Tab-separated table of all heavy atoms in Angstrom:
chain	number	residue	atom	x	y	z
A	1460	ILE	N	-17.883	40.023	-89.292
A	1460	ILE	CA	-17.189	38.760	-88.992
A	1460	ILE	C	-16.671	38.127	-90.261
A	1460	ILE	O	-15.479	37.614	-90.246
A	1460	ILE	CB	-18.077	37.838	-88.098
A	1460	ILE	CG1	-18.448	38.410	-86.760
A	1460	ILE	CG2	-17.477	36.443	-87.902
A	1460	ILE	CD1	-19.490	37.698	-85.942
A	1461	ASN	N	-17.510	38.029	-91.205
A	1461	ASN	CA	-17.079	37.344	-92.468
A	1461	ASN	C	-15.961	38.195	-93.123
A	1461	ASN	O	-14.999	37.561	-93.672
A	1461	ASN	CB	-18.231	37.258	-93.494
A	1461	ASN	CG	-19.287	36.165	-93.005
A	1461	ASN	OD1	-18.951	35.361	-92.199
A	1461	ASN	ND2	-20.510	36.291	-93.482
A	1462	ARG	N	-15.986	39.422	-93.160
A	1462	ARG	CA	-14.936	40.257	-93.720
A	1462	ARG	C	-13.601	40.084	-93.085
A	1462	ARG	O	-12.584	39.877	-93.694
A	1462	ARG	CB	-15.281	41.779	-93.701
A	1462	ARG	CG	-16.390	42.222	-94.584
A	1462	ARG	CD	-16.537	43.745	-94.489
A	1462	ARG	NE	-17.897	44.118	-94.777
A	1462	ARG	CZ	-18.457	44.162	-95.955
A	1462	ARG	NH1	-17.848	43.738	-97.066
A	1462	ARG	NH2	-19.671	44.511	-96.157
A	1463	THR	N	-13.674	40.089	-91.762
A	1463	THR	CA	-12.387	39.897	-91.000
A	1463	THR	C	-11.937	38.498	-91.004
A	1463	THR	O	-10.682	38.231	-91.137
A	1463	THR	CB	-12.549	40.347	-89.440
A	1463	THR	OG1	-13.638	39.638	-88.923
A	1463	THR	CG2	-12.825	41.843	-89.311
A	1464	GLY	N	-12.882	37.587	-91.196
A	1464	GLY	CA	-12.541	36.149	-91.296
A	1464	GLY	C	-11.775	35.775	-92.620
A	1464	GLY	O	-10.872	34.957	-92.688
A	1465	ALA	N	-12.094	36.613	-93.716
A	1465	ALA	CA	-11.576	36.283	-94.957
A	1465	ALA	C	-10.285	37.134	-95.281
A	1465	ALA	O	-9.710	37.133	-96.293
A	1465	ALA	CB	-12.665	36.566	-96.021
A	1466	PHE	N	-9.982	38.071	-94.320
A	1466	PHE	CA	-9.020	39.112	-94.586
A	1466	PHE	C	-7.607	38.524	-94.169
A	1466	PHE	O	-7.377	37.810	-93.234
A	1466	PHE	CB	-9.221	40.284	-93.700
A	1466	PHE	CG	-8.440	41.503	-94.040
A	1466	PHE	CD1	-8.612	42.251	-95.155
A	1466	PHE	CD2	-7.354	41.900	-93.236
A	1466	PHE	CE1	-7.854	43.329	-95.491
A	1466	PHE	CE2	-6.565	42.930	-93.538
A	1466	PHE	CZ	-6.812	43.699	-94.649
A	1467	ASP	N	-6.554	38.885	-95.045
A	1467	ASP	CA	-5.225	38.446	-94.756
A	1467	ASP	C	-4.509	39.567	-93.823
A	1467	ASP	O	-4.323	40.679	-94.200
A	1467	ASP	CB	-4.434	38.295	-96.162
A	1467	ASP	CG	-3.023	37.925	-95.949
A	1467	ASP	OD1	-2.586	37.703	-94.863
A	1467	ASP	OD2	-2.307	38.031	-96.949
A	1468	LEU	N	-4.096	39.068	-92.711
A	1468	LEU	CA	-3.389	39.866	-91.775
A	1468	LEU	C	-2.217	40.657	-92.355
A	1468	LEU	O	-1.901	41.797	-91.947
A	1468	LEU	CB	-2.920	39.039	-90.607
A	1468	LEU	CG	-2.407	39.771	-89.298
A	1468	LEU	CD1	-3.609	40.576	-88.741
A	1468	LEU	CD2	-1.905	38.746	-88.304
A	1469	ASN	N	-1.534	40.027	-93.390
A	1469	ASN	CA	-0.374	40.614	-93.960
A	1469	ASN	C	-0.652	41.494	-95.133
A	1469	ASN	O	0.183	41.684	-95.999
A	1469	ASN	CB	0.655	39.502	-94.224
A	1469	ASN	CG	1.066	38.829	-92.992
A	1469	ASN	OD1	1.545	39.499	-92.063
A	1469	ASN	ND2	0.967	37.488	-93.022
A	1470	ALA	N	-1.914	41.826	-95.371
A	1470	ALA	CA	-2.254	42.593	-96.530
A	1470	ALA	C	-1.614	43.986	-96.561
A	1470	ALA	O	-1.105	44.440	-95.523
A	1470	ALA	CB	-3.862	42.765	-96.526
A	1471	SER	N	-1.719	44.605	-97.626
A	1471	SER	CA	-1.175	45.981	-97.855
A	1471	SER	C	-2.006	46.998	-97.049
A	1471	SER	O	-3.119	46.789	-96.723
A	1471	SER	CB	-1.150	46.304	-99.292
A	1471	SER	OG	-2.459	46.572	-99.739
A	1472	SER	N	-1.409	48.171	-96.968
A	1472	SER	CA	-2.157	49.282	-96.249
A	1472	SER	C	-3.428	49.662	-97.042
A	1472	SER	O	-4.470	50.026	-96.477
A	1472	SER	CB	-1.222	50.440	-95.991
A	1472	SER	OG	-0.734	50.937	-97.183
Side-chain angles (χ1 to χ4, degrees):
I1460 290 169
N1461 291 341
R1462 285 184 212 288
T1463 54
F1466 190 77
D1467 177 8
L1468 191 62
N1469 298 308
S1471 69
S1472 59

